[in-house]
Amino acid sequence: MARRKSRYSGIGGQAVLEGVMMKNKEKYAVAVRKPDGEIEVEVETYQGLAHGSKFKELPFIRGIFNFLDSLILGTRALNYSASFYEEEEGKETKFDKAMDKMSGGNGEKLLSGIVTVISIMLAVGIFIVLPYFISSLFESFIRNRSLMAIIEGVIRIALFLLYVWGISAMKDIRRLYQYHGAEHKCINCIEKGRPLTVHNVMRSSRLHKRCGTSFIFFVMLVSIVLFFFIQVDNVAEKVILRILLMPVVAGISYEIIRLAGRTDNVFIKILSAPGMWIQRMTTREPDESMAEVAIASVEAVFDWKKYLQDTFGYEVDGSWMKDDASAEPED
């Protein structure tokens, strides 16, 4: 089969516990392989923060909202998938009752919000503040501020890579990475113009330029450039400025990853290469049962047959749905 250029579909997602979440515009679905082997699919609507505001659609601003929405929706999807694997339903505690009372019966959503905020604080502390303090240990040997900014950036990237590599040793994380691969394979399958069958999904690439892993890597690179211009001597001011600049970093990084997802020229490929390389650590080859879960999630929110007809110009019928085992594997 002749190779086709990827065409942007607009769908995205993430891996969850024994499943995949897929989002298309305001609609999202979480498909989970339950302990009994059945696939459970929940379809919901998430309009996001500041819904309807033109302000959140502005370039560079939209990246901040997109990042926050991804964290909120991701936490919600993870909590849903984890609910199928709780060993036993515990009795409602005083803490649960207090949370429900404070939130008007929305204790679970309030708790998810708190977890999201704590996650952001930990991420900022580990990957933004900590690299600065580690790099400051070299200040007595290196007087050049430009070089110190580069050293700080290298330490930040090293910490991120060490974190990714470290958690990959955990059994549950390895399976999460497999579902991450299944998510990418489904999107690549569709955007390459192929019918969404298990066979086609399995032979698609597990790497994708719009991946959150690539986004984080762009955050690391952009932070090196922006922090390069922080020319203050006070330690507290340096730390505060780094934290305050993070929305700017996220906004710029989003525009880069957005461009990468819609462009396929040589420059973009070179720019995306490091993030794609890191994805080799954050994704694993899924098995066919995982591909089935990812397909179920896609089909709940996205009419891929109509997309193929509108974008690639052919209608998918029964003959297209037959897996061709002799087809060339996808790079």
Side-chain angles (χ1 to χ4, degrees), residues 55-126:
F55 177 71
K56 68 174 293 186
E57 301 301 327
L58 295 174
F60 301 104
I61 300 297
R62 60 191 172 194
I64 301 171
F65 285 96
N66 184 272
F67 175 66
L68 293 174
D69 285 337
S70 295
L71 286 175
I72 295 170
L73 184 56
T75 302
R76 185 180 298 180
L78 279 169
N79 289 341
Y80 172 76
S81 65
S83 68
F84 291 99
Y85 288 86
E86 294 175 352
E87 292 185 4
E88 57 180 4
E89 288 291 332
K91 294 181 179 179
E92 188 177 32
T93 64
K94 291 182 179 179
F95 177 76
D96 295 328
K97 293 178 180 178
M99 293 291 284
D100 281 333
K101 186 176 181 180
M102 290 171 54
S103 59
N106 294 313
E108 186 175 343
K109 290 184 178 179
L110 177 60
L111 187 59
S112 294
I114 293 173
V115 170
T116 301
V117 172
I118 293 174
S119 299
I120 294 174
M121 292 173 63
L122 284 173
V124 169
I126 294 172

Side-chain angles (χ1 to χ4, degrees), residues 37-217:
E38 294 295 319
I39 299 175
E40 182 80 14
V41 181
E42 180 183 65
V43 181
E44 295 286 350
T45 299
Y46 178 73
Q47 295 180 327
L49 300 173
H51 174 66
S53 171
K54 297 295 183 181
F55 177 71
K56 68 174 293 186
E57 301 301 327
L58 295 174
F60 301 104
I61 300 297
R62 60 191 172 194
I64 301 171
F65 285 96
N66 184 272
F67 175 66
L68 293 174
D69 285 337
S70 295
L71 286 175
I72 295 170
L73 184 56
T75 302
R76 185 180 298 180
L78 279 169
N79 289 341
Y80 172 76
S81 65
S83 68
F84 291 99
Y85 288 86
E86 294 175 352
E87 292 185 4
E88 57 180 4
E89 288 291 332
K91 294 181 179 179
E92 188 177 32
T93 64
K94 291 182 179 179
F95 177 76
D96 295 328
K97 293 178 180 178
M99 293 291 284
D100 281 333
K101 186 176 181 180
M102 290 171 54
S103 59
N106 294 313
E108 186 175 343
K109 290 184 178 179
L110 177 60
L111 187 59
S112 294
I114 293 173
V115 170
T116 301
V117 172
I118 293 174
S119 299
I120 294 174
M121 292 173 63
L122 284 173
V124 169
I126 294 172
F127 298 115
I128 302 301
V129 179
L130 181 59
Y132 163 70
F133 283 109
I134 294 176
S135 65
S136 66
L137 298 175
F138 300 95
E139 284 183 340
S140 58
F141 307 102
I142 302 173
R143 298 296 182 181
N144 188 298
R145 287 186 172 181
S146 299
L147 183 56
M148 285 298 297
I150 294 173
I151 291 174
E152 180 186 343
V154 170
I155 292 172
R156 182 172 295 112
I157 293 173
L159 284 175
F160 173 64
L161 294 177
L162 185 63
Y163 167 77
V164 170
W165 175 79
I167 65 173
S168 66
M170 301 169 60
K171 181 181 178 181
D172 288 342
I173 297 299
R174 287 199 300 269
R175 288 191 63 81
L176 190 72
Y177 283 175
Q178 285 182 283
Y179 277 105
H180 190 192
E183 173 222 330
H184 284 186
K185 280 174 172 286
C186 276
I187 297 174
N188 279 322
C189 178
I190 293 169
E191 294 185 340
K192 282 289 187 179
R194 294 182 169 87
L196 194 63
T197 66
V198 172
H199 175 71
N200 285 335
V201 167
M202 292 299 291
R203 69 191 186 94
S204 297
S205 174
R206 75 174 198 265
L207 311 179
H208 198 283
K209 288 187 292 185
R210 294 202 313 273
C211 176
T213 303
S214 294
F215 171 77
I216 294 174
F217 184 76

